[in-house]
Amino acid sequence: MAEPETTEDEAFGITDRLVSDVLDAVGRGDGTYLSDVLDPMHAADVAHLLEQIDARDRRALLVAWPGGLEGEILSELDEELREEVIEQLAPSELADAVRDLESDDVVDLVEYLDDAQQEAVLDALDASDRVVVEQALTYPEESAGRHMQSELVRAPEHWTVGEAIDYLRSDVVLPEQFYHIILVDPRLKATGYVTLGRILSHPRDTPLRDLTEDTFRTFHVAQDVEEVAQAINHYHMITAPVIDDDERIVGVITIDDAMAFLEEEAEEDILRLAGISEGSLSDRVIATTKRRFPWLAVNLVTAIFASLVISLFEETIAGLVALAVLMPIVASMGGNAGTQSLTVAVRALATRDLTTANVWRVIKREVLVGLINGLIFAVVMGVVGVVWFGSPMLGVVIAVAMVINMVVAGLAGTVIPVVLEKLGVDPALASGAFVTTVTDVVGFFAFLGLAAMWLL
Amino acid sequence: MAEPETTEDEAFGITDRLVSDVLDAVGRGDGTYLSDVLDPMHAADVAHLLEQIDARDRRALLVAWPGGLEGEILSELDEELREEVIEQLAPSELADAVRDLESDDVVDLVEYLDDAQQEAVLDALDASDRVVVEQALTYPEESAGRHMQSELVRAPEHWTVGEAIDYLRSDVVLPEQFYHIILVDPRLKATGYVTLGRILSHPRDTPLRDLTEDTFRTFHVAQDVEEVAQAINHYHMITAPVIDDDERIVGVITIDDAMAFLEEEAEEDILRLAGISEGSLSDRVIATTKRRFPWLAVNLVTAIFASLVISLFEETIAGLVALAVLMPIVASMGGNAGTQSLTVAVRALATRDLTTANVWRVIKREVLVGLINGLIFAVVMGVVGVVWFGSPMLGVVIAVAMVINMVVAGLAGTVIPVVLEKLGVDPALASGAFVTTVTDVVGFFAFLGLAAMWLL
């Protein structure tokens, strides 16, 4: 991931130089420069640029830029920034911006707006588009129905290649991008799909039903959109057809949306594992502080809990201060080994590699790994204990405590996420606190307890 | 991410029930059952099933299953398992399996094989396919040239829709899947592309060059494939054309490959942040132990380093054992705050949200967040210190140490990944060790040092 600056700049359209040039133009209110630079730019790049600058500059830029904001740019923006930018737009500007978006992008945009803003956007849409968006908003938040685009191309299953081409060449309104034609029976039930490549490469009289893909599969509007995205990745699908209760085709989820969605999910998992719930780099200090706070508070409670364990052994420590010096090592090694196990388990649960079929094998493996690494580090630490403090028994105590804690780390690191998942609690968010509490408590208890028994 | 078992089963084709039925069939050597079940299954599902069972069952299954392994299944397998399975195949079986794969899948398969196996695969290919694969292997490992597929459809830029359709309907060999026709000038330089949807929806006499997408952009064979994948995601591209030094089109990277690639990269980042370099759930105990060991060894060194700091204050602790009870809290809170900051920084570097343009703003924010949360927890811990140990001064010491350590955590958590990235070291892998060393050392030093000055 470490590349020289120049290559990074090549990949996306935004260079540091460009950002500072744009900020200069904003500073002197140079609308012509801004139009020249920003109007031809890809919406994703403009959004990326807006994310790079701070809130004050963003406001000034939107005022100074006469071209104004297209809907595409709004779609590409970080969710938090989107709200900030939309608040700045007049209802009519907002309406202009959204009119050309695909239905799924409109839904994505309006779902978290306040009622007045939402109404302004919906009013700007054609009656038929409005119905589609309002329908999508009736599906649950993370469902396929909420995230599908309704623009798609379907054809009666008895059509031929020639009929399909004539239909596409007629004045029908086509989606911006489409890669399949979905075949439907007279009841609009989806029965298969044909790639455009196959249509183009066969004679006009070929029946479409002879060209369908055998990997065709459909998804229900109520299905979790993350599952659909994972299936798209798993089966290398470009278009995932979404059907309603009557098996009628009502929309599609396209691979580019699925890709963006999986990226966001992985991102969320990474942040959750570090104890941060959502958030982006452009958040302000107070929002960020609030997001970081809960996990730190949980950690404080678990740390105090570990301290209570230590306080049980105050007399032991008073008798041999070397124990206070060495005890964090046992807890820290257990914590790290536990984090390794739990990270593997959390990701394997997310990607469905960890299932009832192999959970026991994985637990057994993690415990064994903990045991082997524990034994190796026990020998090392035993030697350190002897050399540093000149006490063979202290070496034995730290070695045994190390083995115990690392075995427990492997066990807790796997069992805790699995149990949390079974209980319906997000293992990415909650596992860390539980696992480190276990390894801290076990680490301090084993080390100080053994010391109390064997050393004093 | 927590869904009931049944929904999970719906999304992919592999249920726990199916796994145990297949294992039963393997046990009784029932080849007919295996063929009935496995032959019609999607290659990705068969691979997923093979990943779920252990090495012995996998071997037995491959022996008992008369249909044998298609190349597609090999492509879908985890890299580690792929080697294991390939070792079991006779060269002729292996050759049969790879013959129908796209060039990028063959490259992906052979790049890590030993010379004899690689030779067997290459011998099985047509002369022209072999040239393509050997050419791809000359590009650097993580480059676009190594990962592109050479199968693509190109057309002279002066062609019309009708000429393109006639060409596609001729007996030319077409890629399995394609979504664009790439236009080239007489020197084979790529000048634009046309989606199949646009070709299908325009009259035969329309010149292709009137239908090109204005988002057309190309990537060089030597460019990092992760950058290309990120650009595909960023710009919602379906096909990324790859060109050589002479700007001639030599291949494409498709969105489904880019999606799988980004998923793997995110996965790797997650594991690296937890101190694990690669690995999968199907690895064996010894391989896993080896993968976990280096990070634990680094952690041991940093933990000993922190212990050395504590040992500077042995007399202080001997004078007031409460310090030993409370000191892990300061270190632990700093470690957690530092991990939060570094995780955000590492991801922002990976997704290019953190750049020279905003790095100072981010550092300032992280330090402020650390300060605010530090002050809050300082008050809490000050009160705990007073109530628990009845010493107001002890409360002040822990409070001040807490603020210091959490500010340092915010600073170190951001600066360390940024500096590592500048030095060309992967920040996901190395930041954790550095940051927790800093927060441990600063935490113990500040707390025990202040205690030595103010309490004794």
Short mmCIF file of all heavy atoms in Angstrom, two decimals, chain B residues 316-372:
data_model
loop_
_atom_site.label_atom_id
_atom_site.label_comp_id
_atom_site.label_asym_id
_atom_site.label_seq_id
_atom_site.Cartn_x
_atom_site.Cartn_y
_atom_site.Cartn_z
N THR B 316 9.29 3.44 44.24
CA THR B 316 8.03 4.18 44.34
C THR B 316 6.87 3.21 44.60
O THR B 316 6.02 3.45 45.47
CB THR B 316 7.77 4.95 43.02
OG1 THR B 316 8.97 5.57 42.61
CG2 THR B 316 6.67 5.98 43.20
N ILE B 317 6.86 2.10 43.83
CA ILE B 317 5.78 1.11 43.99
C ILE B 317 5.86 0.46 45.37
O ILE B 317 4.83 0.28 46.04
CB ILE B 317 5.86 0.04 42.89
CG1 ILE B 317 5.57 0.69 41.52
CG2 ILE B 317 4.85 -1.08 43.15
CD1 ILE B 317 5.81 -0.21 40.33
N ALA B 318 7.10 0.13 45.79
CA ALA B 318 7.25 -0.47 47.13
C ALA B 318 6.70 0.46 48.19
O ALA B 318 6.12 0.03 49.19
CB ALA B 318 8.73 -0.78 47.40
N GLY B 319 6.81 1.77 47.95
CA GLY B 319 6.30 2.75 48.91
C GLY B 319 4.79 2.87 48.87
O GLY B 319 4.15 3.28 49.85
N LEU B 320 4.16 2.55 47.75
CA LEU B 320 2.71 2.70 47.64
C LEU B 320 2.19 1.69 46.61
O LEU B 320 2.22 1.92 45.40
CB LEU B 320 2.34 4.13 47.18
CG LEU B 320 0.85 4.45 47.12
CD1 LEU B 320 0.22 4.37 48.50
CD2 LEU B 320 0.62 5.84 46.53
N VAL B 321 1.73 0.52 47.12
CA VAL B 321 1.36 -0.58 46.23
C VAL B 321 0.14 -0.23 45.38
O VAL B 321 -0.08 -0.78 44.30
CB VAL B 321 1.13 -1.88 47.04
CG1 VAL B 321 0.67 -3.00 46.13
CG2 VAL B 321 2.42 -2.29 47.72
N ALA B 322 -0.66 0.73 45.82
CA ALA B 322 -1.82 1.16 45.03
C ALA B 322 -1.41 1.56 43.61
O ALA B 322 -2.18 1.43 42.66
CB ALA B 322 -2.52 2.32 45.72
N LEU B 323 -0.19 2.04 43.47
CA LEU B 323 0.29 2.43 42.14
C LEU B 323 0.30 1.23 41.20
O LEU B 323 -0.06 1.35 40.03
CB LEU B 323 1.69 3.03 42.24
CG LEU B 323 1.82 4.32 43.05
CD1 LEU B 323 3.28 4.76 43.14
CD2 LEU B 323 0.95 5.42 42.44
N ALA B 324 0.72 0.08 41.68
CA ALA B 324 0.74 -1.13 40.86
C ALA B 324 -0.68 -1.54 40.45
O ALA B 324 -0.90 -2.08 39.37
CB ALA B 324 1.41 -2.28 41.60
N VAL B 325 -1.63 -1.25 41.33
CA VAL B 325 -3.02 -1.60 41.03
C VAL B 325 -3.57 -0.70 39.93
O VAL B 325 -4.26 -1.16 39.02
CB VAL B 325 -3.89 -1.47 42.30
CG1 VAL B 325 -5.36 -1.69 41.98
CG2 VAL B 325 -3.41 -2.47 43.36
N LEU B 326 -3.22 0.58 39.99
CA LEU B 326 -3.83 1.54 39.06
C LEU B 326 -3.07 1.72 37.75
O LEU B 326 -3.65 2.13 36.75
CB LEU B 326 -3.97 2.90 39.75
CG LEU B 326 -5.02 2.95 40.88
CD1 LEU B 326 -4.95 4.28 41.61
CD2 LEU B 326 -6.43 2.73 40.32
N MET B 327 -1.78 1.41 37.75
CA MET B 327 -1.00 1.77 36.56
C MET B 327 -1.47 1.11 35.25
O MET B 327 -1.39 1.73 34.20
CB MET B 327 0.50 1.54 36.79
CG MET B 327 0.89 0.08 36.92
SD MET B 327 2.66 -0.10 37.28
CE MET B 327 2.79 -1.89 37.19
N PRO B 328 -1.98 -0.14 35.28
CA PRO B 328 -2.41 -0.69 33.98
C PRO B 328 -3.57 0.09 33.37
O PRO B 328 -3.76 0.08 32.16
CB PRO B 328 -2.86 -2.12 34.33
CG PRO B 328 -2.22 -2.44 35.63
CD PRO B 328 -2.14 -1.13 36.37
N ILE B 329 -4.36 0.79 34.20
CA ILE B 329 -5.50 1.53 33.65
C ILE B 329 -5.01 2.65 32.72
O ILE B 329 -5.53 2.82 31.62
CB ILE B 329 -6.37 2.11 34.79
CG1 ILE B 329 -6.94 0.96 35.63
CG2 ILE B 329 -7.49 2.97 34.23
CD1 ILE B 329 -7.79 1.43 36.80
N VAL B 330 -4.01 3.39 33.17
CA VAL B 330 -3.50 4.50 32.36
C VAL B 330 -2.94 3.97 31.03
O VAL B 330 -3.24 4.51 29.95
CB VAL B 330 -2.41 5.27 33.12
CG1 VAL B 330 -1.85 6.39 32.26
CG2 VAL B 330 -2.97 5.83 34.42
N ALA B 331 -2.15 2.90 31.10
CA ALA B 331 -1.56 2.34 29.89
C ALA B 331 -2.63 1.81 28.95
O ALA B 331 -2.60 2.03 27.73
CB ALA B 331 -0.57 1.24 30.25
N SER B 332 -3.63 1.12 29.53
CA SER B 332 -4.68 0.51 28.73
C SER B 332 -5.54 1.55 28.00
O SER B 332 -5.86 1.41 26.82
CB SER B 332 -5.53 -0.37 29.63
OG SER B 332 -6.78 -0.60 29.08
N MET B 333 -5.89 2.63 28.71
CA MET B 333 -6.70 3.67 28.06
C MET B 333 -5.91 4.33 26.93
O MET B 333 -6.45 4.61 25.86
CB MET B 333 -7.13 4.72 29.09
CG MET B 333 -8.13 4.21 30.10
SD MET B 333 -9.70 3.71 29.35
CE MET B 333 -10.46 5.30 29.10
N GLY B 334 -4.64 4.59 27.16
CA GLY B 334 -3.81 5.17 26.10
C GLY B 334 -3.70 4.22 24.91
O GLY B 334 -3.82 4.64 23.76
N GLY B 335 -3.51 2.95 25.20
CA GLY B 335 -3.40 1.96 24.12
C GLY B 335 -4.66 1.91 23.27
O GLY B 335 -4.60 1.86 22.04
N ASN B 336 -5.81 1.95 23.93
CA ASN B 336 -7.06 1.90 23.17
C ASN B 336 -7.30 3.16 22.36
O ASN B 336 -7.72 3.10 21.21
CB ASN B 336 -8.23 1.66 24.12
CG ASN B 336 -8.45 0.20 24.37
OD1 ASN B 336 -9.10 -0.47 23.59
ND2 ASN B 336 -7.86 -0.32 25.44
N ALA B 337 -7.04 4.32 22.96
CA ALA B 337 -7.22 5.57 22.21
C ALA B 337 -6.25 5.61 21.03
O ALA B 337 -6.63 6.02 19.92
CB ALA B 337 -6.99 6.77 23.14
N GLY B 338 -5.02 5.14 21.26
CA GLY B 338 -4.05 5.11 20.17
C GLY B 338 -4.47 4.18 19.04
O GLY B 338 -4.32 4.49 17.86
N THR B 339 -5.05 3.02 19.40
CA THR B 339 -5.51 2.08 18.39
C THR B 339 -6.65 2.68 17.56
O THR B 339 -6.72 2.49 16.35
CB THR B 339 -5.99 0.78 19.06
OG1 THR B 339 -4.90 0.25 19.82
CG2 THR B 339 -6.42 -0.24 18.03
N GLN B 340 -7.54 3.40 18.22
CA GLN B 340 -8.62 4.07 17.48
C GLN B 340 -8.03 5.04 16.45
O GLN B 340 -8.39 5.00 15.27
CB GLN B 340 -9.54 4.83 18.44
CG GLN B 340 -10.38 3.91 19.33
CD GLN B 340 -11.30 4.68 20.26
OE1 GLN B 340 -11.00 5.80 20.66
NE2 GLN B 340 -12.43 4.08 20.61
N SER B 341 -7.12 5.89 16.90
CA SER B 341 -6.54 6.87 15.98
C SER B 341 -5.79 6.21 14.84
O SER B 341 -5.92 6.59 13.69
CB SER B 341 -5.58 7.81 16.73
OG SER B 341 -6.27 8.58 17.67
N LEU B 342 -5.02 5.17 15.19
CA LEU B 342 -4.20 4.58 14.13
C LEU B 342 -5.04 3.81 13.13
O LEU B 342 -4.73 3.77 11.94
CB LEU B 342 -3.08 3.72 14.73
CG LEU B 342 -3.28 2.24 15.00
CD1 LEU B 342 -3.03 1.38 13.77
CD2 LEU B 342 -2.29 1.81 16.07
N THR B 343 -6.13 3.19 13.59
CA THR B 343 -6.99 2.47 12.66
C THR B 343 -7.60 3.43 11.65
O THR B 343 -7.63 3.16 10.44
CB THR B 343 -8.09 1.73 13.42
OG1 THR B 343 -7.49 0.89 14.39
CG2 THR B 343 -8.93 0.89 12.48
N VAL B 344 -8.08 4.56 12.14
CA VAL B 344 -8.66 5.56 11.23
C VAL B 344 -7.58 6.03 10.25
O VAL B 344 -7.83 6.12 9.04
CB VAL B 344 -9.22 6.75 12.04
CG1 VAL B 344 -9.57 7.91 11.12
CG2 VAL B 344 -10.43 6.30 12.84
N ALA B 345 -6.38 6.29 10.75
CA ALA B 345 -5.32 6.80 9.88
C ALA B 345 -4.91 5.75 8.84
O ALA B 345 -4.75 6.07 7.66
CB ALA B 345 -4.11 7.22 10.71
N VAL B 346 -4.76 4.49 9.26
CA VAL B 346 -4.32 3.44 8.34
C VAL B 346 -5.34 3.26 7.22
O VAL B 346 -4.99 3.17 6.04
CB VAL B 346 -4.11 2.11 9.10
CG1 VAL B 346 -4.03 0.94 8.13
CG2 VAL B 346 -2.85 2.19 9.94
N ARG B 347 -6.62 3.23 7.57
CA ARG B 347 -7.64 3.06 6.53
C ARG B 347 -7.70 4.27 5.62
O ARG B 347 -7.90 4.16 4.42
CB ARG B 347 -9.02 2.80 7.16
CG ARG B 347 -9.18 1.40 7.66
CD ARG B 347 -8.79 0.39 6.61
NE ARG B 347 -9.68 0.37 5.48
CZ ARG B 347 -9.45 -0.31 4.35
NH1 ARG B 347 -8.36 -1.01 4.21
NH2 ARG B 347 -10.32 -0.28 3.37
N ALA B 348 -7.59 5.46 6.21
CA ALA B 348 -7.66 6.67 5.38
C ALA B 348 -6.48 6.74 4.42
O ALA B 348 -6.62 7.20 3.29
CB ALA B 348 -7.71 7.91 6.26
N LEU B 349 -5.33 6.23 4.84
CA LEU B 349 -4.19 6.16 3.92
C LEU B 349 -4.48 5.17 2.81
O LEU B 349 -4.22 5.43 1.63
CB LEU B 349 -2.92 5.73 4.67
CG LEU B 349 -2.26 6.79 5.56
CD1 LEU B 349 -1.21 6.15 6.44
CD2 LEU B 349 -1.66 7.91 4.74
N ALA B 350 -5.06 4.02 3.15
CA ALA B 350 -5.34 2.99 2.16
C ALA B 350 -6.36 3.46 1.13
O ALA B 350 -6.25 3.16 -0.05
CB ALA B 350 -5.82 1.71 2.83
N THR B 351 -7.36 4.21 1.57
CA THR B 351 -8.41 4.66 0.65
C THR B 351 -8.11 6.04 0.08
O THR B 351 -8.94 6.63 -0.59
CB THR B 351 -9.78 4.70 1.34
OG1 THR B 351 -9.67 5.58 2.48
CG2 THR B 351 -10.22 3.34 1.82
N ARG B 352 -6.93 6.57 0.41
CA ARG B 352 -6.50 7.88 -0.09
C ARG B 352 -7.36 9.03 0.37
O ARG B 352 -7.51 10.02 -0.33
CB ARG B 352 -6.51 7.88 -1.61
CG ARG B 352 -5.68 6.75 -2.04
CD ARG B 352 -5.08 6.91 -3.31
NE ARG B 352 -4.49 5.61 -3.54
CZ ARG B 352 -4.48 5.01 -4.68
NH1 ARG B 352 -4.98 5.63 -5.72
NH2 ARG B 352 -3.95 3.83 -4.80
N ASP B 353 -7.97 8.89 1.52
CA ASP B 353 -8.68 10.03 2.09
C ASP B 353 -7.72 10.90 2.89
O ASP B 353 -7.99 12.07 3.13
CB ASP B 353 -9.83 9.57 2.98
CG ASP B 353 -10.97 8.97 2.16
OD1 ASP B 353 -11.20 9.49 1.05
OD2 ASP B 353 -11.59 8.01 2.61
N LEU B 354 -6.63 10.31 3.34
CA LEU B 354 -5.64 11.06 4.12
C LEU B 354 -4.48 11.41 3.19
O LEU B 354 -3.78 10.53 2.71
CB LEU B 354 -5.16 10.21 5.30
CG LEU B 354 -4.16 10.87 6.26
CD1 LEU B 354 -4.67 12.18 6.79
CD2 LEU B 354 -3.86 9.93 7.43
N THR B 355 -4.32 12.69 2.92
CA THR B 355 -3.30 13.14 1.97
C THR B 355 -2.52 14.30 2.57
O THR B 355 -2.85 14.79 3.65
CB THR B 355 -3.96 13.64 0.67
OG1 THR B 355 -4.81 14.73 1.01
CG2 THR B 355 -4.79 12.54 0.03
N THR B 356 -1.51 14.74 1.86
CA THR B 356 -0.73 15.89 2.33
C THR B 356 -1.65 17.10 2.54
O THR B 356 -1.40 17.94 3.40
CB THR B 356 0.35 16.25 1.29
OG1 THR B 356 0.87 15.04 0.75
CG2 THR B 356 1.47 17.04 1.93
N ALA B 357 -2.72 17.17 1.76
CA ALA B 357 -3.61 18.33 1.83
C ALA B 357 -4.33 18.43 3.18
O ALA B 357 -4.66 19.52 3.64
CB ALA B 357 -4.64 18.29 0.70
N ASN B 358 -4.60 17.30 3.83
CA ASN B 358 -5.39 17.40 5.05
C ASN B 358 -4.72 16.77 6.28
O ASN B 358 -5.33 16.67 7.34
CB ASN B 358 -6.80 16.80 4.83
CG ASN B 358 -6.75 15.33 4.45
OD1 ASN B 358 -5.68 14.73 4.43
ND2 ASN B 358 -7.90 14.75 4.15
N VAL B 359 -3.45 16.35 6.14
CA VAL B 359 -2.83 15.60 7.23
C VAL B 359 -2.73 16.44 8.52
O VAL B 359 -2.99 15.93 9.62
CB VAL B 359 -1.45 15.03 6.81
CG1 VAL B 359 -0.47 16.14 6.49
CG2 VAL B 359 -0.90 14.12 7.88
N TRP B 360 -2.43 17.75 8.38
CA TRP B 360 -2.31 18.56 9.59
C TRP B 360 -3.65 18.72 10.28
O TRP B 360 -3.73 18.70 11.52
CB TRP B 360 -1.67 19.91 9.29
CG TRP B 360 -0.22 19.71 9.00
CD1 TRP B 360 0.39 19.86 7.79
CD2 TRP B 360 0.78 19.25 9.92
NE1 TRP B 360 1.72 19.52 7.90
CE2 TRP B 360 1.99 19.15 9.20
CE3 TRP B 360 0.77 18.91 11.27
CZ2 TRP B 360 3.17 18.72 9.77
CZ3 TRP B 360 1.96 18.49 11.85
CH2 TRP B 360 3.13 18.40 11.11
N ARG B 361 -4.70 18.87 9.48
CA ARG B 361 -6.02 19.02 10.07
C ARG B 361 -6.40 17.74 10.84
O ARG B 361 -6.97 17.80 11.93
CB ARG B 361 -7.06 19.31 8.98
CG ARG B 361 -8.31 19.90 9.55
CD ARG B 361 -9.24 20.49 8.50
NE ARG B 361 -9.81 19.48 7.65
CZ ARG B 361 -9.56 19.35 6.35
NH1 ARG B 361 -8.74 20.17 5.75
NH2 ARG B 361 -10.14 18.40 5.66
N VAL B 362 -6.06 16.59 10.26
CA VAL B 362 -6.39 15.32 10.91
C VAL B 362 -5.60 15.15 12.21
O VAL B 362 -6.14 14.76 13.24
CB VAL B 362 -6.16 14.13 9.95
CG1 VAL B 362 -6.33 12.81 10.68
CG2 VAL B 362 -7.11 14.21 8.78
N ILE B 363 -4.30 15.47 12.16
CA ILE B 363 -3.47 15.35 13.37
C ILE B 363 -4.03 16.25 14.48
O ILE B 363 -4.20 15.84 15.63
CB ILE B 363 -2.00 15.71 13.08
CG1 ILE B 363 -1.37 14.63 12.20
CG2 ILE B 363 -1.20 15.89 14.37
CD1 ILE B 363 0.04 14.94 11.74
N LYS B 364 -4.37 17.49 14.11
CA LYS B 364 -4.92 18.44 15.09
C LYS B 364 -6.20 17.87 15.70
O LYS B 364 -6.41 17.91 16.90
CB LYS B 364 -5.21 19.78 14.39
CG LYS B 364 -5.09 20.98 15.29
CD LYS B 364 -5.25 22.27 14.48
CE LYS B 364 -6.69 22.53 14.11
NZ LYS B 364 -6.89 23.69 13.23
N ARG B 365 -7.05 17.29 14.82
CA ARG B 365 -8.31 16.74 15.30
C ARG B 365 -8.06 15.59 16.28
O ARG B 365 -8.68 15.53 17.35
CB ARG B 365 -9.16 16.23 14.12
CG ARG B 365 -10.52 15.77 14.57
CD ARG B 365 -11.28 15.07 13.48
NE ARG B 365 -10.74 13.74 13.22
CZ ARG B 365 -11.31 12.84 12.46
NH1 ARG B 365 -12.44 13.12 11.85
NH2 ARG B 365 -10.78 11.65 12.28
N GLU B 366 -7.15 14.69 15.92
CA GLU B 366 -6.92 13.52 16.77
C GLU B 366 -6.38 13.94 18.14
O GLU B 366 -6.76 13.37 19.17
CB GLU B 366 -5.94 12.55 16.10
CG GLU B 366 -6.49 11.89 14.84
CD GLU B 366 -7.69 10.98 15.14
OE1 GLU B 366 -7.67 10.28 16.15
OE2 GLU B 366 -8.66 11.01 14.35
N VAL B 367 -5.49 14.93 18.15
CA VAL B 367 -4.93 15.40 19.42
C VAL B 367 -6.04 16.04 20.27
O VAL B 367 -6.14 15.78 21.48
CB VAL B 367 -3.78 16.40 19.16
CG1 VAL B 367 -3.38 17.10 20.45
CG2 VAL B 367 -2.59 15.67 18.55
N LEU B 368 -6.90 16.82 19.62
CA LEU B 368 -8.00 17.46 20.36
C LEU B 368 -8.97 16.42 20.92
O LEU B 368 -9.43 16.51 22.05
CB LEU B 368 -8.77 18.41 19.43
CG LEU B 368 -8.26 19.84 19.40
CD1 LEU B 368 -9.00 20.65 18.34
CD2 LEU B 368 -8.46 20.49 20.78
N VAL B 369 -9.28 15.40 20.09
CA VAL B 369 -10.16 14.32 20.55
C VAL B 369 -9.54 13.63 21.75
O VAL B 369 -10.21 13.36 22.75
CB VAL B 369 -10.44 13.31 19.41
CG1 VAL B 369 -11.13 12.06 19.94
CG2 VAL B 369 -11.28 13.97 18.32
N GLY B 370 -8.22 13.36 21.66
CA GLY B 370 -7.51 12.74 22.78
C GLY B 370 -7.59 13.61 24.02
O GLY B 370 -7.82 13.11 25.14
N LEU B 371 -7.44 14.92 23.83
CA LEU B 371 -7.46 15.85 24.97
C LEU B 371 -8.84 15.84 25.64
O LEU B 371 -8.95 15.73 26.86
CB LEU B 371 -7.11 17.26 24.49
CG LEU B 371 -7.10 18.34 25.56
CD1 LEU B 371 -6.01 18.07 26.59
CD2 LEU B 371 -6.88 19.72 24.94
N ILE B 372 -9.89 15.95 24.81
CA ILE B 372 -11.25 16.03 25.39
C ILE B 372 -11.60 14.73 26.11
O ILE B 372 -12.02 14.74 27.27
CB ILE B 372 -12.28 16.34 24.30
CG1 ILE B 372 -11.97 17.70 23.66
CG2 ILE B 372 -13.70 16.33 24.88
CD1 ILE B 372 -12.83 18.02 22.45
#
